[in-house]
């Protein structure tokens, strides 16, 4: 039986071997309970903003090219609780990365020198998140 990590590795291999352009997409890694979005296929590295949000940076320019949000099942449970109390309304059709980033950034950043990246997170607000990828939560 393939683990979530195996499925993610297979997904990355398919992308690497697929002809044509890289197509950015939010990907849920169930085994690590995180949502990852990388907008372009370049060599990159990560910097942790806080215990929930990590930014992914282009290795050559240090430009932010992606983000990882951890604790997705917990965030979804909190959103559902707010939805039931009618304080947060969203539909499955329009789930965006923005809500995960906003909730993930409730905790302050760990390193004040990374504040510029926190300010830039809004560029990923409209990235769609496929609710069916989150079915394990």
């Amino acid at each position: 039986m393939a683990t979530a990590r195996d499925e993610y590795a297979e997904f990355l291999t398919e992308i690497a071997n697929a002809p044509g352009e890289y197509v950015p997409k939010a990907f849920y890694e169930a085994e690590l309970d995180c949502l990852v979005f990388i907008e372009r296929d370049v060599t990159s590295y990560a910097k942790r903003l806080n215990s929930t949000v990590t930014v992914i940076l282009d290795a050559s320019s240090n430009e932010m090219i992606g983000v990882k949000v951890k604790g997705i099942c917990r965030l979804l449970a909190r959103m559902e609780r707010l939805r039931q109390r009618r304080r947060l309304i969203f539909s499955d059709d329009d789930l965006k990365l923005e809500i995960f980033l906003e909730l993930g950034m409730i905790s302050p950043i760990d390193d004040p020198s990374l504040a510029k990246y926190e300010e830039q997170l809004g560029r990923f607000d409209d990235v769609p998140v496929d609710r069916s990828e989150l079915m394990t939560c």
Side-chain angles (χ1 to χ4, degrees):
M1 177 179 227
T3 66
R5 188 177 303 265
D6 294 335
E7 290 173 9
Y8 183 58
E10 184 178 314
F11 168 77
L12 292 177
T13 302
E14 287 174 20
I15 289 174
N17 294 329
E21 285 188 39
Y22 173 76
V23 177
K25 175 185 180 263
F27 179 85
Y28 177 65
E29 169 53 69
E31 194 169 298
L32 301 175
D33 190 28
C34 68
L35 194 56
V36 179
F37 174 76
I38 302 173
E39 68 183 356
R40 59 182 184 263
D41 186 18
V42 296
T43 303
S44 61
Y45 67 100
K47 289 275 189 178
R48 176 183 152 151
L49 290 184
N50 62 24
S51 62
T52 305
V53 178
T54 299
V55 293
I56 301 165
L57 306 170
D58 181 316
S60 62
S61 68
N62 295 321
E63 177 188 2
M64 185 172 61
I65 60 165
V67 66
K68 176 169 79 171
V69 183
K70 297 170 253 182
I72 296 301
C73 289
R74 181 173 173 78
L75 292 177
L76 280 172
R78 291 295 172 176
M79 287 191 289
E80 179 60 21
R81 183 173 170 220
L82 288 171
R83 188 191 66 76
Q84 288 174 357
R85 292 170 45 202
R86 298 200 151 314
R87 298 183 193 273
L88 176 68
I89 306 297
F90 65 90
S91 71
D92 291 347
D93 297 340
D94 65 358
L95 195 56
K96 303 284 187 202
L97 191 52
E98 174 184 25
I99 189 70
F100 295 101
L101 289 171
E102 289 298 326
L103 291 173
M105 288 307 299
I106 289 172
S107 296
I109 60 173
D110 295 339
D111 180 351
S113 71
L114 300 176
K116 66 181 180 181
Y117 296 118
E118 180 181 13
E119 295 166 7
Q120 296 173 18
L121 287 174
R123 67 188 280 189
F124 302 125
D125 284 353
D126 291 329
V127 172
V129 175
D130 183 352
R131 180 73 180 208
S132 68
E133 290 221 6
L134 307 176
M135 294 305 288
T136 59
C137 290

